[in-house]
Amino acid sequence: MPYLMTLAGINQMVIGRINSNIKNILKQHHQLHFRWAQNWDSQLHWAPLVNVLPNAYYTVTSACGTDEMICCQFDVSKTSRSSCMERAKVDNVQKIALYGERMANQYRSLQTFYNSEAVLVAAGDDFLYSDSDDLKIVHRVYSALFKYINRNYDRFNMRVQFGTVADYFKSLKGSAKRRASILSGDFFPYMDNAFSNAPFWTGFYNHRAYFKCFERIIQRELRLVDLLSVAIGIYLNSDVEIARRNLALSIHHDAITGTSKRHVMDDYMLR
């Protein structure tokens, strides 16, 4: 896998859901940064730099630190899915100081799992930012807290900012990359909860060829309708919108791979 990714131009990556036992061992040894190499690649020609997210998921509640009861307070968007009874507010200086300190403490707790000074903290999930106000709310709250933390550098000894995955890897100093341990092999079987009814997942999933082909046909037909509508000046908004929404739903990554439950796959086919 690392060999193929390097051939595809992927030389650094962030991953999250790996076997939880492996992840815990990496955390204990401060090695959630590593070079992922094939057993035969002793010169590390095909060994991308990997950052593993420290907790089970990349949601705000799970990703911001080691205490989910605190982290969920920073899940402030309208489409928040956490069940937290308290949300961070920045209405006055007292609240900014309170939540700024909590945020800094949680971010600091993640640093112990890595062998570098920089830490990546995810601020979203699958459905966050689906409301037009989500980004504005998150940006307003986080900006106020970031400014408070950065103004009090002598106290917190950290600087925080918005950034992309590319920004994060650029922030890693060369020494951190050179110190990265070498890991070979894979992460199967996948496990995130040893106490669930079916704790282990393993194997690879393939695309459902017929299903994917049918979706491509629908995409082509919808595109043709769009072009004809422009040409004749008549727009079939309602019918086309329903078709486009059904298509968008059906190209979800759990649809074309067939990894949804049977009744869900049946619903996809009906659409």
Side-chain angles (χ1 to χ4, degrees):
M1 183 65 74
Y3 170 68
L4 295 176
M5 287 185 170
T6 306
L7 285 180
I10 303 174
N11 298 309
Q12 48 199 24
M13 68 189 78
V14 176
I15 62 177
R17 301 181 72 171
I18 65 173
N19 185 293
S20 59
N21 288 339
I22 297 176
K23 180 179 287 191
N24 288 334
I25 292 173
L26 293 173
K27 288 167 67 173
Q28 291 170 12
H29 292 84
H30 322 290
Q31 293 181 348
L32 288 182
H33 281 142
F34 55 81
R35 300 283 299 279
W36 190 13
Q38 309 275 180
N39 290 324
W40 44 262
D41 185 16
S42 59
Q43 300 300 315
L44 304 181
H45 292 307
W46 318 98
L49 178 65
V50 178
N51 175 91
V52 182
L53 297 178
N55 300 318
Y57 306 108
Y58 52 83
T59 60
V60 175
T61 299
S62 182
C64 101
T66 54
D67 188 338
E68 291 193 354
M69 296 304 295
I70 298 296
C71 285
C72 70
Q73 297 172 12
F74 303 107
D75 193 7
V76 295
S77 68
K78 284 186 176 181
T79 53
S80 165
R81 292 191 291 165
S82 62
S83 56
C84 212
M85 299 301 294
E86 180 181 354
R87 306 289 178 181
K89 294 181 174 58
V90 292
D91 302 331
N92 54 58
V93 293
Q94 290 80 13
K95 290 181 179 178
I96 292 175
L98 171 65
Y99 291 109
E101 182 169 359
R102 290 180 181 178
M103 174 179 277
N105 289 338
Q106 288 305 303
Y107 286 3
R108 189 186 312 282
S109 70
L110 298 178
Q111 200 278 329
T112 60
F113 304 136
Y114 297 89
N115 52 11
S116 68
E117 296 179 356
V119 173
L120 174 69
V121 182
D125 59 50
D126 291 30
F127 303 102
L128 196 63
Y129 309 116
S130 57
D131 187 282
S132 59
D133 291 330
D134 282 351
L135 183 58
K136 297 177 184 177
I137 295 172
V138 172
H139 186 267
R140 178 177 60 84
V141 173
Y142 278 50
S143 292
L145 300 178
F146 286 179
K147 288 179 181 178
Y148 174 78
I149 295 172
N150 292 335
R151 281 200 306 265
N152 291 275
Y153 178 82
D154 292 341
R155 177 182 176 188
F156 297 115
N157 193 31
M158 70 170 67
R159 298 195 186 280
V160 290
Q161 66 181 60
F162 293 104
T164 64
V165 172
D167 293 331
Y168 166 68
F169 280 110
K170 288 179 182 178
S171 72
L172 293 178
K173 297 180 180 179
S175 58
K177 297 179 181 179
R178 290 191 296 271
R179 289 198 307 268
S181 301
I182 310 302
L183 186 146
S184 60
D186 58 49
F187 305 106
F188 291 121
Y190 171 70
M191 178 185 70
D192 58 20
N193 182 1
F195 303 102
S196 66
N197 293 330
F200 296 103
W201 296 11
T202 191
F204 293 90
Y205 295 104
N206 294 316
H207 289 288
R208 290 196 167 193
Y210 169 80
F211 199 48
K212 191 171 183 179
C213 178
F214 187 67
E215 289 169 353
R216 293 294 181 264
I217 294 173
I218 300 300
Q219 279 185 315
R220 184 186 64 197
E221 298 298 323
L222 281 173
R223 179 59 176 163
L224 180 59
V225 170
D226 288 338
L227 295 175
L228 290 175
S229 296
V230 172
I232 64 177
I234 299 176
Y235 302 98
L236 307 174
N237 290 332
S238 58
D239 293 336
V240 173
E241 182 177 358
I242 293 173
R244 186 172 284 111
R245 287 184 174 181
N246 284 333
L247 175 64
L249 184 66
S250 299
I251 59 177
H252 185 269
H253 59 255
D254 282 325
I256 58 176
T257 56
T259 52
S260 295
K261 293 183 178 180
R262 180 72 261 171
H263 71 276
V264 177
M265 293 306 303
D266 291 341
D267 182 67
Y268 279 135
M269 291 302 297
L270 289 175
R271 291 174 183 274

